[in-house]
Amino acid sequence: MMNKKNSKIALMLVASAVSLALTGCGSDGDDGTDGNPGLPGGTPAEAIQKLNLEVLSVTYEGNNPTLKVYATNENDEPVVGLSSFEVKKVAQLIPAGASGAGNSAAWESIGSQKAFTDNKNGSYNFTIETDGFNSELTQRYNIIAQNAMLLDGVTEVPHTELSQDFDGEGYDAKYTKNIVSHDTCANCHAEGEPITTRHSSYFTQETCATCHSTNLSTESQWKHLIHNIHNSNKSFTDKNDKEYTGVTAEALIQNNCQSCHVESEELTEWGNWTRIPTMETCTSCHTGIDFVAGEGHSQQSDNSNCIACHNASWTEEIHTGPFVEKKAFIDMYGMTSTLTVNTDTSATLSVSITDAAGTAIDASTLVSKIQRIETITNVGPNFPIMGYNASPGTGLAKVAYDLVRDGELGTDVTVVAGNIEYTIPSLPFGEYSPAGMQDTDTAFSFIGLEMCNDGTSPVECGEDIATTSMKADLVFGTLSGEAPSMRHTDSVAFNTCENCHGETFEIHKGYHAGFVMTEQLGRENADGEVVVGVDGCVTCHTPDGTYASGGNQGALEMKLHSVHGEQGIVGDCAQCHNDFNLDAFKLKGALATSAGAYTTPITATCASCHGFDEIKAHAEGQGAVVNGSYEDANASAQVEFCMACHKPTIFDHTQVNM
């Protein structure tokens, strides 16, 4: 058979060619370019910042398709001379139920091809031998151009992936499997970067789903593997001996199905995760089940009976109910606090518990239902002068105190007029800070609230009682009585964190009461926008590090880079940063970068991503101190010359001012 599908772009190009031919009658026929019928003419691209791929047509000889793929750069110039180019997979979609009652739709791999013909006009032909081709099924062509040079050995090609679906005759696909979009994955995984550097070099969910087809073992099929990776119930080791424990997944998406399964008008099958339960998918999260042996579940050999018990509404409720209830419970209570500095440089912290409407509640009626109210207090919001452990500068550590623990008030904590009050001992106001006396005129307390509950209402605390971290609070107080100094929030806004972690992320719950970052931490910026920042985190993540005193790069300027970099997920500054406030470095001193050693602040921040050994020589040549003494690094903090050349933006952090 000979069937052909022309895409919209191909049809437009043909129409354009015909139009030019007609309007050119009676002239030389020379439009200034050398073209080919149906394709734009012109000189091939000499530089490729972005590679665009499109399947122009699919034709068949018997069961073997020939693809014509068109490649252009960001300026629509044809790309000639691709070298590392392939049809990674040809797959066909087995519809739901076609392989057996109750089975979900699944991709089946039927071929691949690395050999191609370069037509020297931006188009390339791939002819593929298939195994098991069925013209009644949707066919997917997964095409990949690897990050490599053109045949000229000079021009670099960015890694690009395309997954395009057709029906079995080469026309637009009548149906496909579209449960989760790549855009949803890109909320956590950096766009234009490998999905995870720990496992593979591929960029898109569609590529992963096409390759991890039914041709592989159940554990390696996408419907099983993707759930296995994104929940904390199981661990496994991949082909590269990388271990997946689920800890990262739990921290990121909290085993919440709706982190990935998002309602969408564009995805016609987004709700299939509730409508088509299968043994293969369910065992990726629910461990200890052997369906065939009847262990952990009634005995069954196939999926034909699953929907009889696990109907869509019940499946959705059982998987999403706890998260809906948790969010509703968190929203039931909040805190408003004050920090009043006394003449003896002590400070009185007063915490008022409020209901959902913001009305104060007599705390004495709730104390027995509060697992913990944790407070951490420091001085100097822009560059805290009290360390997690004692700072070399002041000899003092942050003040951490539990106002409530296990349903009981802490020592010297009282309830006054319905508010919980505690007086923090003398604080080091006015000590040295790069930000000057104004910054160390300000003390600030970060407050976490953890409440005992039955899922929907607070209950008396006790053994085996569940707890939930509630909305956190941040409060400032000054010795002078003037307006407080505050740390900037125009580099990282917490809504960017929520893209991965969700609205109910209980930061550090376990070691701490847990901090849920919500609107009550928001401050209005210069543009009148309310921004919830991560500024409260520096009460613990001090310039002197955290519990390892620099050994784990605990300062806030470094910690988020080092932790997120280890996960192989974040690879793009704009995933987390809403902006770069480069002026903030003018308010900083040395940062602890290893046990007992300090580095100037710009260099320390950059090295937390790029590595200290890698940038040491360059940075020291620009006035930086790398892993030197506390005294030397502080003295050089405002000497390092980085910003004379480097002008990073969140979209291009390598930008320089030349």
Side-chain angles (χ1 to χ4, degrees), residues 5-305:
K5 183 268 181 190
N6 284 308
S7 67
K8 181 185 289 186
I9 186 172
L11 294 171
M12 290 173 65
L13 293 171
V14 171
S16 176
V18 172
S19 175
L20 287 172
L22 292 173
T23 57
C25 290
S27 68
D28 294 340
D30 183 359
D31 64 356
T33 63
D34 297 319
N36 291 282
L39 295 173
T43 304
E46 296 182 357
I48 309 166
Q49 298 299 317
K50 180 182 179 183
L51 180 65
N52 301 304
L53 300 175
E54 167 115 20
V55 178
L56 296 182
S57 66
V58 183
T59 60
Y60 287 90
E61 287 286 353
N63 292 337
N64 297 333
T66 294
L67 272 66
K68 177 170 282 188
V69 182
Y70 191 51
T72 58
N73 71 355
E74 66 281 0
N75 296 321
D76 292 327
E77 298 167 332
V79 173
V80 176
L82 288 172
S83 57
S84 186
F85 197 26
E86 65 179 309
V87 177
K88 180 71 176 175
K89 288 290 181 183
V90 181
Q92 57 189 8
L93 184 60
I94 311 301
S99 62
N103 288 351
S104 61
W107 291 107
E108 174 187 63
S109 177
I110 59 171
S112 62
Q113 183 59 274
K114 290 187 176 181
F116 59 88
T117 300
D118 185 345
N119 298 316
K120 308 301 182 183
N121 60 1
S123 71
Y124 299 77
N125 288 358
F126 291 88
T127 299
I128 307 153
E129 291 187 7
T130 63
D131 182 14
F133 171 83
N134 185 337
S135 63
E136 296 182 357
L137 301 180
T138 295
Q139 314 294 324
R140 169 170 289 182
Y141 298 94
N142 178 231
I143 303 159
I144 295 177
Q146 299 283 3
N147 181 214
M149 297 294 180
L150 292 181
L151 291 175
D152 63 12
V154 176
T155 308
E156 187 172 357
V157 178
H159 181 104
T160 305
E161 300 174 13
L162 170 68
S163 292
Q164 199 164 335
D165 297 349
F166 299 89
D167 73 4
E169 297 184 345
Y171 295 94
D172 287 329
K174 299 178 180 66
Y175 68 94
T176 190
K177 186 175 182 178
N178 56 0
I179 295 172
V180 173
S181 73
H182 173 72
D183 290 342
T184 299
C185 301
N187 285 336
C188 288
H189 298 274
E191 186 67 66
E193 298 284 344
I195 287 286
T196 170
T197 56
R198 301 181 72 232
H199 179 75
S200 73
S201 57
Y202 300 111
F203 286 30
T204 66
Q205 187 271 147
E206 289 79 7
T207 293
C208 299
T210 308
C211 285
H212 287 273
S213 63
T214 56
N215 304 71
L216 303 177
S217 66
T218 296
E219 289 73 19
S220 297
Q221 292 177 27
W222 194 237
K223 58 190 172 185
H224 183 94
L225 179 65
I226 191 62
H227 294 104
N228 207 352
I229 291 173
H230 287 85
N231 82 89
S232 61
N233 293 336
K234 279 200 294 187
S235 62
F236 68 98
T237 302
D238 70 6
K239 65 180 182 180
N240 300 318
D241 291 327
K242 301 290 187 181
E243 185 178 12
Y244 290 76
T245 64
V247 173
T248 300
E250 184 174 26
L252 281 173
I253 61 177
Q254 304 171 72
N255 296 334
N256 187 349
C257 304
Q258 290 181 308
S259 297
C260 302
H261 292 283
V262 179
E263 183 174 359
S264 170
E265 294 181 357
E266 297 178 0
L267 301 179
T268 57
E269 297 184 337
W270 75 268
N272 275 15
W273 70 279
T274 65
R275 292 196 292 266
I276 309 177
T278 65
M279 297 184 297
E280 296 82 10
T281 301
C282 295
T283 53
S284 59
C285 295
H286 298 284
T287 59
I289 293 178
D290 185 330
F291 286 100
V292 175
E295 296 174 359
H297 190 279
S298 57
Q299 191 174 33
Q300 62 185 69
S301 59
D302 56 37
N303 295 312
S304 57
N305 242 357

Side-chain angles (χ1 to χ4, degrees), residues 425-583:
S426 181
L427 295 170
F429 294 101
E431 295 285 345
Y432 164 78
S433 168
M437 292 292 287
Q438 179 185 2
D439 202 43
T440 56
D441 180 52
T442 300
F444 60 111
S445 294
F446 194 35
I447 307 164
L449 169 63
E450 181 183 8
M451 296 190 68
C452 301
N453 64 92
D454 61 7
T456 58
S457 303
V459 298
E460 300 287 320
C461 294
E463 190 174 349
D464 297 328
I465 297 297
T467 67
T468 299
S469 300
M470 311 296 284
K471 297 179 180 181
D473 200 15
L474 178 62
V475 64
F476 301 85
T478 62
L479 176 64
S480 67
E482 301 294 328
S485 171
M486 293 184 182
R487 189 182 182 92
H488 67 97
T489 59
D490 55 354
S491 280
V492 175
F494 192 73
N495 66 334
T496 63
C497 307
E498 288 178 337
N499 288 338
C500 280
H501 293 285
E503 294 179 315
T504 60
F505 181 38
E506 299 166 286
I507 302 174
H508 289 316
K509 184 185 178 184
Y511 291 110
H512 299 276
F515 306 94
V516 177
M517 313 287 274
T518 64
E519 75 290 339
Q520 71 180 42
L521 293 169
R523 295 205 309 270
E524 194 172 287
N525 64 14
D527 297 324
E529 301 168 325
V530 175
V531 176
V532 177
V534 295
D535 44 326
C537 301
V538 295
T539 51
C540 276
H541 289 277
T542 72
D544 299 299
T546 54
Y547 59 87
S549 296
N552 62 347
Q553 298 182 24
L556 186 63
E557 293 84 351
M558 297 183 294
K559 188 62 175 177
L560 295 177
H561 292 151
S562 59
V563 167
H564 288 89
E566 290 171 358
Q567 308 306 331
I569 296 174
V570 175
D572 180 354
C573 301
Q575 283 177 267
C576 302
H577 284 276
N578 53 310
D579 201 351
F580 284 155
N581 186 332
L582 302 179
D583 287 337

